Amino acid sequence: MHLRLASWNVNSVRLRAEQVARFVREAAPDVLCLQEIKCREGEFPTAAFVDAGLPHLRIAGQKGSHGVAIASRLPIEDTPRLDLCREGHARAVSARIAGFEVHNFYIPAGGDIADRTLNPKFDHKLDFYERLTAEMAKRDPKDPLAILGDLNVAPGENDVWNHRYMSRVVSHTPVEVEAMAALKASLGFIDLAREMIPEPLKLASWWSYRAADFRKSNRGLRLDHIWVTPGLKDAAFRKGAAACRIHDDVRSWERPSDHAPVTADLVL
């Protein structure tokens, strides 16, 4: 069975319901993980997802901010809730689909100061990473499991527009990169985008709204990720190579999210 996973920080699902429908028509994801839906469960545009062919939903909503959701063409089974956010934000939702676990995260951005003592938001971000890493370390690397979402860290030198400058800016500081590396090592996660497009080629999935032309300024960061455990490696490489794409064309649509969707294909 061919299955396409997608992750997208949509930056308000109600505001961009039509864009979501267009993306589903054009990219044909079977499982779509959304971050920053910015609504409560009862406010989620369920009918639009049913019409798009993604009727199976798991939603963790919050009024006006945060919020994550999983929408699937295939039936969804529940999985235990992960208690990762000390602030009680709606930042994690998970489900079992087609025999494997799908975990969707919107990890805190971390504010502006890269200091845990001076900046509670930064401490919260690292605390979330530490809790998630400890949770994943309890699992078996052979378990079929995927992590998707806006993880709010650009890990590599070529995942930012300027490594030297960005190393002093929250999202690419050494302590954040180290925290992400610890999470990746916890189960030997495979970063499918970098398997598809290896270093030293530049990759980005987020561009600031401040630039009138994001392609011209080209100051992007790769904050959005799809990772799989070794238990899904065969499924991800069934055709001989990883099939993963950052849909940067979506960032150029009218009234876009500042994030582009990312897709990856599995053959189960």
Side-chain angles (χ1 to χ4, degrees), residues 76-266:
I76 289 178
E77 299 176 25
D78 290 331
T79 58
R81 180 181 177 274
L82 299 183
D83 185 16
L84 301 171
C85 181
R86 72 184 188 194
E87 306 297 330
H89 299 162
R91 293 184 177 273
V93 67
S94 59
R96 182 176 295 276
I97 302 171
F100 69 96
E101 288 186 32
V102 176
H103 293 271
N104 177 20
F105 299 112
Y106 174 45
I107 291 183
D112 297 324
I113 302 171
D115 188 301
R116 297 189 77 159
T117 303
L118 298 176
N119 179 7
K121 291 182 178 180
F122 193 71
D123 183 63
H124 179 208
K125 180 177 191 174
L126 295 179
D127 181 76
F128 195 107
Y129 261 102
E130 290 160 359
R131 293 185 185 207
L132 177 54
T133 300
E135 179 63 36
M136 291 297 108
K138 300 175 185 177
R139 310 299 184 91
D140 187 329
K142 296 178 183 178
D143 290 343
L145 183 151
I147 281 180
L148 297 88
D150 177 1
L151 306 187
N152 259 318
V153 174
E157 293 188 13
N158 293 296
D159 296 325
V160 294
W161 63 275
N162 183 307
H163 167 63
R164 184 176 180 181
Y165 174 79
M166 289 301 303
S167 292
R168 303 188 298 272
V169 178
V170 173
S171 71
H172 187 61
T173 63
V175 66
E176 294 168 279
V177 171
E178 183 179 342
M180 176 174 269
L183 172 59
K184 189 177 181 185
S186 67
L187 281 179
F189 281 107
I190 301 162
D191 179 351
L192 293 182
R194 272 301 173 204
E195 290 293 331
M196 182 71 183
I197 305 175
E199 303 271 10
L201 293 175
K202 292 277 189 181
L203 282 179
S205 64
W206 173 91
W207 295 264
S208 172
Y209 284 130
R210 294 176 183 175
D213 185 337
F214 80 97
R215 293 191 190 279
K216 184 177 181 180
S217 65
N218 200 27
R219 294 190 172 192
L221 310 176
R222 188 168 73 99
L223 303 178
D224 305 273
H225 302 270
I226 300 179
W227 294 358
V228 296
T229 57
L232 280 175
K233 181 177 181 179
D234 287 348
F237 290 83
R238 191 82 66 188
K239 296 182 178 180
C244 188
R245 176 185 171 190
I246 298 174
H247 296 255
D248 58 345
D249 57 310
V250 176
R251 179 63 177 79
S252 67
W253 290 356
E254 186 177 355
R255 298 180 71 194
S257 169
D258 47 356
H259 293 255
V262 182
T263 60
D265 292 352
L266 303 179

